Amino acid sequence: MNGYLVLAVGAITAIGVYLVTSRVLSRIVLGFALLGHAVVLGLITAGGRAGDAPLADRLDGARPADPLPQALSLTAIVISFGLTLFLLALARRQHQLSGDDLVEDDIEDRRIARLDDGDEAAHDTGTGAT
Amino acid sequence: MSALVGLVVTLPLLSAVVALGVRQRSTLRDIVTIGTLAAGSAMSIALLVHVEANGTVVVRSGGWSPELGITLVADMFAVLVLAVAMVTITLVEVFSVGQRRSSVGADPTVVGPMLLILTAGVALSILTGDLFTLFVAFELMLVASYVLLTHQGRAGQVRSGMTYVVINLFASTLFLFGVAFVYASTGTVNFALLAERVPELATELRWGIGLWFLVVFGTKAAMFPLFSWLPDSYPTAPTTITAVFAGLLTKIGVYVMIRFHTLLGMDDLGPVILVISGLTMIIGVLGALAQDDMKRILAFHIVSQIGYMLLGLGLFTVAGVAGAIVFVVHQIPVKTVLFLIAAMVETDRGSSALSKLGGLISQRPWLAAGFALPALSLAGLPPFSGFVAKLALVDAAVASSSTVIVVVALVGSVLTLLSMVKIWSGVFWGPATEDPLPEPKGWPLMGRAAGVGTVLTLAIAVVAGPLWDASERAATELLEGDPYVSQVLDEVADEPTEPAGPAAPTEPAEGGDADG
């Protein structure tokens, strides 16, 4: 069972990384949401075999699952939820400012592009791919 | 004393809530903010004195055993960095209160509360005894920094803020994956337990964990080749904010890297870290030389100086790590003061571009002096603190016969001096470009805060002897590992808690052979 979980983590991570490398911030948000899920699955996988609910008053039965990764996962989920909201707020602000939500090149990139290709190319890369 | 360790983290968090509540009442808010930070500084200095005399303080929140609960560890390394960091943040907050009066500063309703949250994150990152709490502390610190960087919502800030947030989020994701790997292979996230279990792992696994976290912490610390987010994002923040970021955030990255890689016995990675450190030094400083804006030059210097800290770590000797610790302690105030001076120049002239400035020395001689002293210290000239730190590092490198890195470090220093001269001649030297202006409002307060910071950098050179002794002790504690491990795990042996309990990771995944 663990093997399938690991494969799932790998697949979700791959999709997440692909989305994060996009220039469109809304895709990046989706990418991070997926990466967050992948990490949580990873943490759970790290906890070993699945078992009964690790509740203090129901331990007579036997093999409780390791609760520590579950606690870590909960914390990670809360944090990634908050950060997703912050990214969305950034995307909205960028939309207000420029009408899109593209991540733009940094100053150095633009300067180099200008040195290299002259004015036209600098103009294009400056505003990101269109 | 153990109460203080917890309070240093929780007090800023609680005060942040209070400060947010009273954010519209400027006097009350400033009193809460500065009062908390001053109290935090006093507490961390008290801790420094205490730990210096009595050794490491270990706090278990809620009385949980280190396997399950959150442990805070105030060892020599932690309290040294904590004290300097706290004092520096306090100075920046005082400075920003002064700058606000000239109405160019950042939004005060945001800065005060967010600085407090950042402080809590910094303190927790420094004091934490386990990997996952470190992740939470990083997030605390970074979320505050995201808000501080982008809260004015200007186009440039949103642009660079996106890069900054996305890269840091990605690094945090990698961090969590790393936590999962570590947990799967050792069954714990506690540093002390890891220090026992990681050296027993297979070599490939240790290399994997070591390199993985080198990338994670290296992104936060802006080492080569993971630094490209820094020179773009830092200068777009309000300059006072940049001062905090420059002084603290990357240094915390280096701090945890030193703690993680020494405690877990990652000596094998030494050569890799040394190569990275050399490249970081040179590429950072070359980037600085190409800039024409005071803030951007200083931002590239952050990267370059990270290289020196990595140099000390990469040697994995007591002298090397001690040198790195002295360097971190010296960098925090120096870098902050330089950015505060840049903020004053900007407040005064409305720009930090070298081409638009000049001749400030005749109109603002004290400002010029306030820049020159930390700048010379940054370049590593005697008798300043930078000289002490670099001498210690070079000495350690020579002792481990790593001559190449010594040459690289010295070349980097010369280039650093060159770019400081570039700022000096562009901003302060030469004929004045403008007529003398009246002093901006709040100027005396800003001047005093920056002045105290400058004095702090000088004081580090004065107390170089005791500082070196303390750093050497901290480095010994880190590299030997045993005292740290036994202090953290000590009480477990005393009280016969059931070692496993329902919760203990009895089966840490299939590959967890070390733990059994």
Side-chain angles (χ1 to χ4, degrees):
Chain A
M1 187 205 98
N2 258 344
Y4 292 117
L5 262 184
V6 170
L7 283 181
V9 171
I12 299 176
T13 309
I15 303 171
V17 169
Y18 173 75
L19 285 173
V20 166
T21 51
S22 159
R23 259 187 197 270
V24 185
L25 198 55
S26 39
R27 282 198 192 178
I28 295 178
V29 173
L30 290 177
F32 275 119
L34 281 179
L35 281 176
H37 294 318
V39 160
V40 168
L41 271 183
L43 280 172
I44 297 294
T45 315
R49 197 170 308 161
D52 302 330
L55 297 171
D57 55 345
R58 293 189 205 161
L59 279 177
D60 304 334
R63 314 179 45 95
D66 184 355
L68 197 63
Q70 301 184 1
L72 305 188
S73 305
L74 272 180
T75 317
I77 289 170
V78 173
I79 289 176
S80 77
F81 179 67
L83 288 174
T84 306
L85 281 182
F86 184 80
L87 270 180
L88 284 174
L90 258 190
R92 179 172 153 68
R93 179 67 190 160
Q94 174 76 352
H95 189 263
Q96 281 179 345
L97 286 169
S98 68
D100 57 38
D101 64 343
L102 296 176
V103 178
E104 293 170 23
D105 284 341
D106 69 18
I107 296 172
E108 221 58 36
D109 282 353
R110 283 187 231 174
R111 196 180 289 164
I112 290 167
R114 233 173 289 147
L115 285 177
D116 198 30
D117 295 331
D119 282 337
E120 199 183 353
H123 192 73
D124 281 349
T125 43
T127 51
T130 44
Chain B
M1 268 307 144
S2 51
L4 280 191
V5 178
L7 265 183
V8 169
V9 179
T10 47
L11 184 67
L13 268 185
L14 292 175
S15 301
V17 177
V18 176
L20 264 179
V22 298
R23 64 183 181 281
Q24 302 299 349
R25 303 171 61 185
S26 58
T27 318
L28 193 56
R29 183 194 62 228
D30 289 347
I31 289 173
V32 169
T33 317
I34 295 181
T36 307
L37 290 173
S41 308
M43 287 191 289
S44 51
I45 290 171
L47 271 176
L48 175 61
V49 173
H50 178 83
V51 171
E52 220 283 320
N54 304 323
T56 307
V57 181
V58 178
V59 178
R60 292 177 185 172
S61 52
W64 290 92
S65 79
E67 282 168 351
L68 296 176
I70 296 169
T71 319
L72 298 179
V73 186
D75 60 358
M76 199 64 215
F77 184 29
V79 290
L80 259 182
V81 177
L82 183 69
V84 183
M86 282 293 197
V87 172
T88 309
I89 299 181
T90 313
L91 285 178
V92 173
E93 171 60 18
V94 173
F95 184 94
S96 82
V97 169
Q99 195 188 33
R100 189 170 308 149
R101 296 189 188 145
S102 62
S103 71
V104 298
D107 183 353
T109 58
V110 175
V111 173
M114 285 303 138
L115 263 187
L116 286 173
I117 292 180
L118 186 105
T119 309
V122 166
L124 188 59
S125 316
I126 292 175
L127 290 170
T128 181
D130 74 80
L131 205 51
F132 190 78
T133 311
L134 180 64
F135 166 76
V136 176
F138 263 20
E139 288 310 303
L140 200 57
M141 194 166 84
L142 289 170
V143 167
S145 78
Y146 301 155
V147 176
L148 284 170
L149 183 66
T150 55
H151 73 269
Q152 288 171 316
R154 297 199 190 118
Q157 291 171 342
V158 173
R159 176 186 59 75
S160 66
M162 278 184 180
T163 322
Y164 179 75
V165 173
V166 168
I167 288 182
N168 273 299
L169 264 183
F170 195 74
S172 300
T173 310
L174 291 183
F175 194 160
L176 267 183
F177 272 120
V179 171
F181 294 156
V182 166
Y183 192 78
S185 47
T186 62
T188 182
V189 289
N190 182 282
F191 282 142
L193 290 164
L194 283 176
E196 282 184 337
R197 293 178 192 174
V198 167
E200 294 165 8
L201 295 178
T203 317
E204 300 81 27
L205 208 49
R206 277 196 302 125
W207 269 82
I209 292 175
L211 286 176
W212 189 276
F213 278 96
L214 191 66
V215 170
V216 169
F217 299 144
T219 312
K220 314 271 179 192
M223 74 180 191
F224 176 83
L226 304 165
F227 66 85
S228 52
W229 54 271
L230 187 146
D232 187 46
S233 59
Y234 276 19
T236 56
T239 314
T240 333
I241 303 305
T242 316
V244 190
F245 289 6
L248 287 167
L249 295 191
T250 49
K251 310 305 174 283
I252 299 300
V254 175
Y255 170 90
V256 294
M257 202 188 281
I258 293 178
R259 178 167 294 273
F260 185 90
H261 286 90
T262 53
L263 265 182
L264 270 52
M266 297 286 180
D267 310 30
D268 308 356
L269 291 180
V272 179
I273 298 180
L274 278 184
V275 170
I276 293 176
S277 92
L279 288 169
T280 311
M281 283 176 210
I282 294 299
I283 290 178
V285 80
L286 288 181
L289 279 170
Q291 302 302 314
D292 60 353
D293 183 295
M294 189 174 176
K295 288 197 293 184
R296 290 183 64 88
I297 293 180
L298 290 173
F300 270 99
H301 268 295
I302 301 173
V303 177
S304 174
Q305 305 298 321
I306 294 297
Y308 289 90
M309 300 167 203
L310 294 181
L311 159 59
L313 172 63
L315 293 172
F316 278 103
T317 60
V318 169
V321 174
I325 295 173
V326 174
F327 207 90
V328 171
V329 169
H330 134 85
Q331 273 290 306
I332 291 175
V334 164
K335 211 74 234 192
T336 308
V337 169
L338 283 173
F339 271 100
L340 290 183
I341 299 290
M344 289 180 80
V345 170
E346 208 179 29
T347 311
D348 194 21
R349 293 295 143 119
S351 166
S352 60
L354 298 187
S355 51
K356 292 185 188 159
L357 296 164
L360 266 181
I361 190 167
S362 55
Q363 293 162 14
R364 306 265 188 248
W366 285 105
L367 190 61
F371 172 78
L373 295 177
L376 291 175
S377 180
L378 186 77
L381 292 186
F384 301 105
S385 55
F387 174 71
V388 178
K390 280 186 181 163
L391 182 67
L393 284 174
V394 167
D395 205 30
V398 170
S400 349
S401 52
S402 315
T403 18
V404 179
I405 198 74
V406 172
V407 175
V408 173
L410 294 180
V411 170
S413 287
V414 173
L415 293 176
T416 306
L417 186 60
L418 197 61
S419 57
M420 287 298 129
V421 169
K422 188 176 171 183
I423 297 185
W424 177 259
S425 61
V427 177
F428 297 103
W429 206 241
T433 51
E434 290 175 58
D435 295 332
L437 299 170
E439 285 189 357
K441 278 183 192 162
W443 188 261
L445 189 56
M446 290 157 71
R448 271 181 214 129
V452 172
T454 309
V455 171
L456 186 65
T457 65
L458 297 178
I460 289 177
V462 174
V463 298
L467 174 65
W468 174 253
D469 292 341
S471 306
E472 214 168 16
R473 198 174 123 194
T476 317
E477 283 176 4
L478 285 171
L479 284 169
E480 285 183 359
D482 295 341
Y484 180 93
V485 173
S486 53
Q487 275 154 349
V488 172
L489 303 180
D490 214 6
E491 284 165 37
V492 177
D494 295 347
E495 42 182 280
T497 46
E498 67 280 46
T506 41
E507 303 158 70
E510 258 66 320
D513 45 2
D515 178 39

